[in-house]
Amino acid sequence: LCCQCGVAIPPNPANMCVGCLRAQVDITEGLPKQGTLHFCKQCDRYLQPPGTWIQCSLESRELLALCLKKIKASLSKVRLIDAGFIWTEPHSKRLKLKLTVQKEVINGAVLQQVFVVEYIVQSQMCEDCHRIEAKDFWKAVVQVRQKTLHKKTFYYLEQLILKHRLHQNTLRIKEIHDGLDFYYSSKQQAQKMVDFLQCTVPSRSKSSQRLISHDIHSNVYNYKSTFSVEIVPICKDNVVCLSPKLAQSLGNMSQICVCIRVTSTIHLIDPSTLQIAEIDGNTYWRHPFNSLFHPKQLEEFIIMDINRVQEKKKGAGAGARSNKHTLAEAWVQKTSELNTDRQYFCCTHLGHILNPGDLVLGFDLANCNLNDEFANKMNPHNIPDVILIKKSYDRTKRQRRRNWKLKELDRDREGMDTDDERQYQDFLEDLEEDEAIRKNVNIYRNADVPVESDTDDDGPPRISLAEMLEDLHISQDATGGEGANMMT
């Protein structure tokens, strides 16, 4: 019989029934029934004392661990059996935790009890968001510059940064006329960005720092660091003139070459022999060279006649040749001179895509004044009359059929003018024509444009659906939403 109420019970060390035992002893005494969580609305993170902010979705294991750490010291007196969330209204700023605990009481009897802990979610801005809101609070800046008229390399660099998520730690991105400025809250993050740039584009960098304040008592210095990154002033489709020494070291290739691609190195091709070479940043700064023309000087030619050329005999010490291009000899005429009989003869590396009657963009070297120290010293017989760069397509038709899109960095800009828009369209066309650049870029399906057949041999190059990613949107709300439900 129970020693308190006289009810018949199975024998236990306390000689009491469960009701009387709970009336005598409360094992949850001293355990907190309320708590506080700090939440940042800007970045959807919770504060884990003393100074760590962590990302947690509602009713997740991470959030449960964070709540239990708040009462960890008190739980040391009892044994935790089970813990779980009780559903609360998502916008109530309340989280309820249902805990099951055990504790040994009178004469070794073990008592189990369930109780609820309620947490109040309070808003507090984290330090990172506070610095972003302030906009002027930065410790390091990376200034990326390129002294060219075309921004193709910057558009390519922007897609690489987005793909590798290096923009997440930036406080602010500012666009100026010849480059970008990236602001960071620590010097280490800025150094990481500089290392990434040196691995992805041919460039050189230098750093400096300015003393902001100095505490003479604790010997603490506060600096602002500046990293200057200069990208080589060569873009895709530029015609360049190499120094004789550099051309010889690259396998006795011609001094006048075409830049077909800029990745971590400058990819050059000799249009008269298909010989290719790669120049890294260090080699370029030891033997610098400039572009002979800028993109606005491209002229439109029409192919009058073209003949594919069989493999030419290699010269002494010649380097590798391109397998993706076909050497051809062509007679071309400017579309602006169709009423005359003036034609030009040239060798081109575009023999695999050009046919008689095609329009092609190129540079006229026969009727121009070259202001270049290496080109002026060359034998005039070694300078071609015309260099063809790329086949010309109807831009309006390409834009209408383009069923893909790219993402952009969120940055401060004055606004895109017509020249910037034209350069961006040039970059999109380069992506369609060059598969090697496409591999490093995330391309997303544009649902607004209907899907057409990819088997259009006569039209311009297109990106296949297999290379596109679906544009995924996850709206994750810390106080409960579609994202939180999906995570759970």
Side-chain angles (χ1 to χ4, degrees):
L1 300 179
C2 174
C3 65
Q4 293 288 332
C5 60
V7 176
I9 58 169
N12 64 53
N15 291 328
M16 289 187 196
C17 64
V18 176
C20 295
L21 194 57
R22 283 185 175 164
Q24 289 285 115
V25 181
D26 180 15
I27 64 171
T28 65
E29 187 178 3
L31 297 179
K33 305 299 189 295
Q34 278 194 334
T36 304
L37 287 175
H38 295 285
F39 172 73
C40 178
K41 289 181 181 179
Q42 270 76 8
C43 59
D44 297 345
R45 292 188 299 175
Y46 291 88
L47 174 63
Q48 179 178 331
T52 308
W53 292 83
I54 57 174
Q55 193 96 27
C56 302
S57 58
L58 285 178
E59 300 191 9
S60 63
R61 295 170 58 184
E62 293 83 4
L63 187 56
L64 182 64
L66 180 61
C67 293
L68 290 176
K69 282 182 181 178
K70 289 275 186 181
I71 55 174
K72 183 178 180 181
S74 306
L75 288 177
S76 60
K77 302 173 185 175
V78 295
R79 184 183 177 193
L80 182 64
I81 301 300
D82 187 31
F85 285 102
I86 300 176
W87 186 86
T88 54
E89 173 63 36
H91 298 284
S92 64
K93 299 288 186 181
R94 297 290 187 277
L95 294 175
K96 290 187 177 181
L97 220 59
K98 181 181 177 183
L99 302 179
T100 304
V101 294
Q102 284 183 353
K103 187 178 181 181
E104 187 177 316
V105 291
I106 306 170
N107 297 330
V110 177
L111 189 62
Q112 181 171 307
Q113 198 167 336
V114 178
F115 70 104
V116 175
V117 181
E118 183 179 9
Y119 289 92
I120 301 172
V121 180
Q122 292 185 350
S123 297
Q124 179 180 330
M125 189 180 287
C126 65
E127 291 182 5
D128 295 336
C129 293
H130 199 278
R131 288 170 180 163
I132 294 173
E133 287 296 315
K135 285 193 174 180
D136 292 328
F137 192 93
W138 53 272
K139 291 287 184 69
V141 60
V142 179
Q143 298 173 339
V144 187
R145 301 289 183 268
Q146 187 183 27
K147 296 175 182 177
T148 57
L149 295 174
H150 207 290
K151 297 182 180 178
K152 281 184 181 180
T153 309
F154 276 108
Y155 292 132
Y156 173 67
L157 194 59
E158 176 184 14
Q159 297 304 317
L160 286 177
I161 291 171
L162 284 167
K163 182 171 184 176
H164 295 280
R165 301 178 181 272
L166 280 178
H167 63 290
Q168 292 182 333
N169 294 326
T170 55
L171 300 178
R172 181 188 180 195
I173 302 174
K174 185 179 179 182
E175 181 177 333
I176 59 172
H177 65 283
D178 60 348
L180 292 170
D181 288 348
F182 298 87
Y183 294 89
Y184 292 92
S185 58
S186 68
K187 185 179 179 181
Q188 289 77 13
Q189 292 173 345
Q191 184 65 57
K192 184 179 178 182
M193 182 66 171
V194 173
D195 295 341
F196 172 78
L197 292 174
Q198 289 181 330
C199 293
T200 51
V201 287
S203 59
R204 63 179 175 182
S205 67
K206 57 182 179 181
S207 61
S208 61
Q209 58 184 14
R210 180 163 55 97
L211 181 64
I212 303 300
S213 62
H214 172 212
D215 187 351
I216 59 174
H217 301 290
S218 58
N219 206 29
V220 173
Y221 293 83
N222 183 19
Y223 289 103
K224 277 192 174 182
S225 302
T226 301
F227 295 88
S228 177
V229 179
E230 184 181 357
I231 303 174
V232 296
I234 305 296
C235 289
K236 184 181 183 297
D237 297 337
N238 282 165
V239 176
V240 299
C241 185
L242 309 179
S243 65
K245 185 177 180 182
L246 178 59
Q248 185 180 10
S249 67
L250 296 175
N252 286 329
M253 67 189 302
S254 173
Q255 284 185 247
I256 294 184
C257 303
V258 178
C259 176
I260 55 174
R261 194 181 304 121
V262 177
T263 54
S264 56
T265 56
I266 304 171
H267 298 254
L268 299 177
I269 187 168
D270 182 355
S272 59
T273 62
L274 295 189
Q275 189 172 331
I276 55 175
E278 294 184 16
I279 300 176
D280 59 8
N282 293 331
T283 305
Y284 175 84
W285 298 117
R286 286 199 304 270
H287 306 282
F289 51 87
N290 297 316
S291 173
L292 298 180
F293 302 93
H294 54 80
K296 290 182 180 179
Q297 293 174 289
L298 277 171
E299 296 186 67
E300 192 174 57
F301 295 85
I302 186 168
I303 303 292
M304 307 305 291
D305 188 21
I306 186 167
N307 295 313
R308 273 74 177 175
V309 178
Q310 297 302 320
E311 194 73 26
K312 276 189 175 182
K313 187 178 179 181
K314 284 189 176 184
R321 290 183 177 176
S322 173
N323 297 323
K324 296 182 180 180
H325 299 84
T326 302
L327 188 62
E329 294 178 344
W331 285 95
V332 298
Q333 187 174 14
K334 288 184 184 180
T335 54
S336 60
E337 297 176 351
L338 288 179
N339 56 348
T340 66
D341 57 354
R342 181 79 185 273
Q343 293 188 7
Y344 303 90
F345 176 78
C346 64
C347 290
T348 178
H349 59 291
L350 303 175
H352 56 298
I353 58 173
L354 294 181
N355 295 300
D358 285 346
L359 294 177
V360 62
L361 296 175
F363 294 110
D364 180 8
L365 280 77
N367 302 312
C368 70
N369 293 323
L370 293 178
N371 186 17
D372 185 85
E373 61 169 321
F374 303 128
N376 293 337
K377 296 176 183 177
M378 286 182 63
N379 187 342
H381 297 290
N382 295 333
I383 300 178
D385 292 340
V386 171
I387 293 184
L388 303 182
I389 300 298
K390 60 182 178 179
K391 190 175 179 180
S392 178
Y393 300 98
D394 184 5
R395 171 165 285 184
T396 307
K397 184 178 178 182
R398 293 184 80 166
Q399 287 179 298
R400 189 172 63 249
R401 296 175 57 185
R402 189 170 290 140
N403 59 345
W404 53 275
K405 59 183 178 180
L406 301 175
K407 292 190 174 180
E408 294 185 8
L409 286 174
D410 183 17
R411 58 186 184 270
D412 300 340
R413 52 163 58 157
E414 286 102 13
M416 289 182 70
D417 55 17
T418 54
D419 191 42
D420 289 346
E421 182 62 34
R422 181 186 60 81
Q423 293 180 14
Y424 188 67
Q425 292 300 325
D426 287 344
F427 173 68
L428 297 182
E429 291 172 5
D430 290 343
L431 285 181
E432 291 175 335
E433 295 167 7
D434 196 341
E435 186 181 352
I437 299 180
R438 254 191 340 253
K439 291 179 181 178
N440 300 327
V441 175
N442 284 344
I443 297 170
Y444 295 92
R445 171 93 175 85
N446 189 357
D448 299 333
V449 181
V451 179
E452 297 181 18
S453 172
D454 291 338
T455 58
D456 187 3
D457 297 333
D458 298 331
R462 301 178 63 190
I463 298 178
S464 63
L465 284 172
E467 297 179 79
M468 300 181 197
L469 303 172
E470 288 294 333
D471 196 2
L472 184 63
H473 295 284
I474 300 178
S475 57
Q476 183 174 344
D477 187 358
T479 54
E482 295 178 8
N485 293 337
M486 186 161 59
M487 294 294 285
T488 54

